[in-house]
Amino acid sequence: MKSNYIGKPTSRVDGPLKVTGQAKYAAEFAADGLVYGVVVSGEIAKGSIKNIDVKEALSLKGVLKIFTHENVSGLPWFDKNYKDQDSPAGSPFRPFQDNKIMFSMQPIALVVAETFELARYAASLVKVEYKEDKHETVLMDHLDKAKKAPKGKVGFEEPKSRGNAGDAFKAAEFKVEGEYLHSAEHHNPLEMHATTVVWEDGDKLTVYDKTQGVFNCQQYITKVFGLSTDDVRVLSPFVGGAFGSGLRPQYQVFMAVLASLELKRAVRVSLTRQQMFSFGHRPSSVQRLALSASADGTLQSVKHEAFGETSRFEDYTEIIVNWSGTMYKCENVELKYDLVKLDVFSPLDMRAPGAVTGNHPFESAIDELAYALKMDPLAFRLRNYAEEDQMGGRPYSSKELKACYTQGAAKFGWDKRSIEPRSMRDGNQLIGWGMGTAAWDAQQMLANAKAVLSADGKLFVSSGASDIGTGTYTIMTQIAAETLGLAIEDVTFKLGDTNMPEAPLQGGSWTAASVGSAVKAGCEAVKAQVLKLAKKSKKTPVSGESADDLIIDDGYVLLKKDPSSKISISELMKQAEVGSIEEKAMSGPNPINKLKYTFNTHAAVFAEVKVDEELGTAIVSRVVCAVAAGKIINPKTAGSQIKGAVVWGISKALEEESMMDKNLGRFINHDLYEYHIPVNKDINDIDVIFVEEHDDKVNPLGVKGVGEIGIIAVAGAIANAVFHATGHRVRNLPITMDKVLGLSE
């Protein structure tokens, strides 16, 4: 069939718009009479504002208004603890509610002026006097105040222990234990957070926002300001990366809408790179692992305890330790997860939240235990392979992890690995090979889509989903084209608009499964209508034929038994005097299958590092990532997702660290000069393997999503490779040269 697009590498349909600069982002939409807002950030981590002096700033010609806690009141949000769709338990931060300071760089004023330059200068003239209280911002210093993590946000599952890990650990012949530290990290997408609000008569707003969910943003605005959804339209057609930072509406949305409603004008508020460090991050953690095994390599016990940080006002939770109870077969598992409240903003979901944090310590401990047994790390993992979900006791809908091991190891050349540390070298470069295993939930959320087929044979499909760079535009176009049998050039997919059918947040690797299933259902409904027209048509090659005897391909309705007998869809519609066919569809998870099966993606990562023996510098020279994620809609965009995730995993392992100054209570490397991320020279060969995996239970498309799975095991594999190269196990990320040389931990 010509219209066979699913599974084929396809270039991004939105690519030309992006490379020619025609794709517009939140801070690029023009509006008549547009004015600019600049946020003033607080300078202390905890305390209150004694006095805020805005007189000098307000005296400047062209400064329109300065919003502070002194002149903002009466909003519905201040009386109700409204939660957005990604909120953890607690009371969300509300700008300008009062004079309290709860975290460093808290927004304390918004200066609005005729030009951006004037607003920025005026913001520098705002004078603030504080009453400073003692703050606590470093997790390691306050572990004694840890408390059991509450239920937290929707989707968090309390870790469940089984058997008796303590006794099994004591009795075991081989055992390892250690403490692992994980520093805070920040999202830092290329596009910084910004909102442009266009005000219309009657307090109707058109809001262009950097967000991973236009409906979440719309709901936030209507609840905070007491508006109707009919009065607020949110658009986000393009997003320059987000990685989780756009799941919750950030404070620039609040401020832009506040100013627009007050001034009755279009307002734009953009955050600086430094301010991007002020509204959420991957939380730091302290983790303690204790594993044991019998002499034949059977895993006897797993103990995984984690301490995470959260804010004073919300209980942010992640599934950090749960994965350790399901990755391998083990009868005795003890899992514990506690939170420490600090004077910081609430942490925020960041690519593979929880899983990537817990995987490095766990996979490092697995590697260490394999060495204690003098077993090959891959052989040890295979020895303890879990055929069923160890936590839920359910079979997997599909699990091709063994194929990931086999194909990944073969591509990497794992069989040529010398097991002894420091036994492989190239001149003064110590060579290390390490590996890790990853799993992630394969979820499907409720989603809606609309498909409209016009009389000229063109298909327009829409859903209010997001595309944060993952390729959503492209794969939805592929799904629609193949389902309805059209050329891909005849299909247009639109997203990112609350005037479209509702879709979930783009996160959790569920967009392909969720929105894709809705798109498929909508196009199937249109297809059914086309086939009805074919049957009812008169004096055509397909007249009177049942739907079972017809197919649609390349814009034609064909007889299965005689493909030369055909008629174009446009001719059929014109004959029937049908101007268009429109269908809406909704798709969601199968509740019965959710009870019967566990849905996961799986991956095996193999990494090679080269460590300078004298300097301790580590370079990741190559990575092989083998992934089992059901049907791959587009190997090209999916491969890019995995490669990008591997790059971030390298960054996490060797470079990224948000450094907290405990005296200031502030992240001090809050720019891309001192917050280190990889450049081209840091990245070498990355091979991606998509293992064939058929799954007819997970969703109608059989897809699982690949956004998160590629990053999860990379840091652990690199840490294990560093040990293999040097004989020194680094437990504190990132792995810097001083730690490799044993000069610090």
Side-chain angles (χ1 to χ4, degrees):
M1 290 181 67
K2 293 181 180 179
S3 307
N4 185 0
Y5 298 107
I6 294 177
K8 301 294 177 61
T10 304
S11 296
R12 293 174 183 265
V13 297
D14 53 323
L17 292 176
K18 289 183 174 179
V19 299
T20 58
Q22 296 178 72
K24 287 189 176 182
Y25 296 82
E28 296 181 324
F29 288 91
D32 292 337
L34 180 67
V35 296
Y36 299 83
V38 168
V39 177
V40 178
S41 302
E43 298 177 359
I44 65 172
K46 186 177 183 180
S48 59
I49 299 172
K50 292 174 63 176
N51 182 55
I52 184 163
D53 184 355
V54 300
K55 295 186 185 67
E56 186 178 359
L58 269 176
S59 69
L60 297 175
K61 183 180 179 181
V63 174
L64 304 175
K65 179 110 179 178
I66 299 179
F67 296 88
T68 72
H69 69 278
E70 294 183 342
N71 60 6
V72 175
S73 63
L75 294 177
W77 190 29
F78 289 163
D79 300 321
K80 301 173 184 177
N81 287 341
Y82 164 70
K83 298 184 182 303
D84 64 78
Q85 295 174 20
D86 197 53
S87 288
S91 179
F93 169 65
R94 290 167 280 184
F96 307 152
Q97 182 186 14
D98 52 37
N99 68 335
K100 293 180 181 176
I101 299 292
M102 295 184 287
F103 55 92
S104 181
M105 295 191 71
Q106 176 178 317
I108 58 173
L110 177 71
V111 178
V112 184
E114 295 285 356
T115 67
F116 170 72
E117 292 79 8
L118 177 59
R120 183 172 59 180
Y121 174 63
S124 71
L125 302 179
V126 175
K127 298 179 177 63
V128 186
E129 184 181 356
Y130 301 95
K131 176 185 177 298
E132 190 168 2
D133 297 333
K134 183 179 179 181
H135 59 259
E136 298 173 347
T137 56
V138 179
L139 176 63
M140 272 295 290
D141 293 348
H142 304 287
L143 296 183
D144 58 320
K145 298 175 183 176
K147 294 184 178 179
K148 180 181 176 182
K151 182 174 177 56
K153 64 180 181 180
V154 175
F156 174 75
E157 293 183 15
E158 183 179 333
K160 298 175 183 177
S161 301
R162 61 180 181 268
N164 192 323
D167 288 349
F169 184 81
K170 291 177 184 177
E173 185 176 353
F174 295 90
K175 60 191 73 174
V176 297
E177 54 187 323
E179 183 173 85
Y180 298 76
L181 307 181
H182 173 285
S183 299
E185 299 169 359
H186 280 81
H187 301 74
N188 280 308
L190 185 62
E191 180 199 12
M192 292 174 285
H193 278 263
T195 304
T196 301
V197 180
V198 180
W199 180 86
E200 302 170 25
D201 286 338
D203 282 351
K204 288 185 178 292
L205 304 176
T206 300
V207 180
Y208 300 95
D209 185 50
K210 177 192 173 77
T211 178
Q212 290 172 247
V214 289
F215 292 97
N216 192 27
C217 188
Q218 181 192 50
Q219 187 183 53
Y220 171 91
I221 293 167
T222 57
K223 296 295 184 182
V224 169
F225 294 95
L227 302 173
S228 165
T229 54
D230 294 334
D231 296 333
V232 180
R233 181 186 182 188
V234 179
L235 298 99
S236 184
F238 296 98
V239 180
F243 316 120
S245 66
L247 290 170
R248 301 188 70 177
Q250 302 300 353
Y251 58 75
Q252 91 285 340
V253 181
F254 170 87
M255 295 184 172
V257 172
L258 174 72
S260 184
L261 289 172
E262 175 78 14
L263 300 172
K264 311 298 184 188
R265 296 184 68 168
V267 177
R268 175 174 298 153
V269 178
S270 304
L271 300 186
T272 65
R273 179 61 63 182
Q274 287 77 14
Q275 288 168 339
M276 294 283 287
F277 283 74
S278 67
F279 58 74
H281 54 279
R282 193 192 297 280
S284 59
S285 71
V286 177
Q287 300 178 62
R288 295 165 183 164
L289 271 293
L291 274 60
S292 67
S294 56
D296 66 353
T298 301
L299 196 58
Q300 293 294 316
S301 67
V302 171
K303 292 178 69 176
H304 190 171
E305 178 182 26
F307 299 88
E309 60 168 307
T310 189
S311 66
R312 298 285 185 193
F313 47 91
E314 289 178 314
D315 291 320
Y316 174 82
T317 52
E318 292 186 324
I319 298 180
I320 295 180
V321 300
N322 300 39
W323 295 104
S324 300
T326 194
M327 292 293 289
Y328 303 104
K329 189 175 182 180
C330 185
E331 295 181 357
N332 303 292
V333 176
E334 184 178 316
L335 306 174
K336 187 180 179 184
Y337 175 42
D338 291 341
L339 288 182
V340 177
K341 285 186 173 292
L342 298 174
D343 299 305
V344 297
F345 194 92
S346 300
L348 184 63
D349 287 348
M350 191 170 179
R351 199 171 194 170
V356 71
T357 302
N359 183 277
H360 158 250
F362 182 63
E363 285 295 301
S364 293
I366 287 287
D367 189 76
E368 188 172 356
L369 186 55
Y371 269 95
L373 289 156
K374 292 182 169 46
M375 283 185 70
D376 175 80
L378 176 54
F380 180 63
R381 286 169 171 82
L382 288 168
R383 176 74 176 81
N384 295 285
Y385 189 85
E387 296 289 353
E388 291 190 344
D389 176 8
Q390 301 296 288
M391 296 288 279
R394 295 182 298 267
Y396 291 100
S397 60
S398 60
K399 184 180 182 182
E400 294 294 343
L401 178 57
K402 282 185 178 178
C404 292
Y405 285 146
T406 302
Q407 295 180 33
K411 180 73 175 178
F412 189 80
W414 187 261
D415 61 335
K416 300 178 180 63
R417 178 181 186 269
S418 170
I419 192 170
E420 290 298 321
R422 301 182 69 89
S423 60
M424 299 169 65
R425 66 167 58 235
D426 179 11
N428 69 331
Q429 300 286 311
L430 298 170
I431 298 175
W433 290 3
M435 66 163 298
T437 306
W440 182 255
D441 289 321
Q443 300 184 70
Q444 182 185 2
M445 312 296 283
L446 192 66
N448 299 268
K450 181 171 76 173
V452 181
L453 181 65
S454 62
D456 60 357
K458 305 294 184 182
L459 179 67
F460 298 86
V461 186
S462 60
S463 179
S466 296
D467 189 340
I468 59 175
T470 55
T472 306
Y473 275 109
T474 307
I475 65 169
M476 298 307 159
T477 303
Q478 290 176 261
I479 293 167
E482 177 162 325
T483 303
L484 200 46
L486 298 177
I488 203 165
E489 296 80 11
D490 291 333
V491 178
T492 300
F493 178 74
K494 295 292 185 181
L495 53 69
D497 187 344
T498 51
N499 282 358
M500 297 175 182
E502 187 166 357
L505 293 165
Q506 182 163 64
S509 298
W510 60 54
T511 298
S514 307
V515 180
S517 294
V519 167
K520 178 179 172 64
C523 292
E524 285 176 338
V526 171
K527 180 179 180 180
Q529 294 299 323
V530 171
L531 295 178
K532 282 183 181 180
L533 292 181
K535 183 177 182 179
K536 292 178 181 178
S537 65
K538 297 178 180 179
K539 298 181 181 181
T540 72
V542 296
S543 300
E545 299 289 345
S546 69
D548 292 338
D549 296 323
L550 300 172
I551 58 173
I552 301 178
D553 185 37
D554 200 27
Y556 287 85
V557 180
L558 318 161
L559 273 177
K560 282 184 182 178
K561 60 185 179 183
D562 180 14
S564 64
S565 298
K566 62 184 181 179
I567 184 172
S568 70
I569 292 174
S570 57
E571 287 181 54
L572 267 179
M573 293 178 68
K574 287 174 184 175
Q575 185 191 98
E577 296 183 344
V578 174
S580 65
I581 299 173
E582 178 178 321
E583 294 287 347
K584 294 180 180 179
M586 179 174 66
S587 184
N590 184 320
I592 297 176
N593 281 351
K594 284 188 71 174
L595 294 174
K596 293 170 63 176
Y597 302 100
T598 292
F599 304 115
N600 281 171
T601 51
H602 295 91
V605 177
F606 299 83
E608 176 183 85
V609 300
K610 294 183 178 179
V611 180
D612 188 292
E613 189 171 16
E614 295 179 348
L615 299 178
T617 53
I619 297 171
V620 179
S621 46
R622 60 191 180 100
V623 175
V624 173
C625 184
V627 179
K631 183 184 291 293
I632 303 301
I633 301 294
N634 186 340
K636 192 171 187 178
T637 54
S640 293
Q641 279 288 285
I642 298 300
K643 286 183 179 179
V646 170
V647 170
W648 198 347
I650 294 170
S651 181
K652 176 181 178 59
L654 302 180
E655 299 189 38
E656 288 194 53
E657 182 178 16
S658 299
M659 297 182 179
M660 174 64 72
D661 184 313
K662 67 166 61 179
N663 295 315
L664 294 175
R666 177 181 299 180
F667 293 112
I668 55 172
N669 58 332
H670 55 350
D671 54 53
L672 294 184
Y673 177 73
E674 293 184 316
Y675 184 87
H676 294 166
I677 56 175
V679 295
N680 287 346
K681 188 172 173 58
D682 297 318
I683 304 303
N684 296 289
D685 293 340
I686 300 174
D687 286 310
V688 177
I689 299 171
F690 287 116
V691 170
E692 185 174 343
E693 183 175 61
H694 175 72
D695 195 323
D696 59 1
K697 304 175 185 67
V698 66
N699 54 63
L701 285 165
V703 305
K704 291 185 173 181
V706 296
E708 265 86 3
I709 190 63
I711 187 177
I712 294 171
V714 177
I718 292 171
N720 293 337
V722 169
F723 170 77
H724 182 235
T726 66
H728 181 61
R729 196 167 292 279
V730 180
R731 294 189 171 92
N732 183 358
L733 295 185
I735 302 171
T736 50
M737 62 180 73
D738 54 321
K739 298 170 189 172
V740 172
L741 294 172
L743 302 177
S744 67
E745 291 298 331

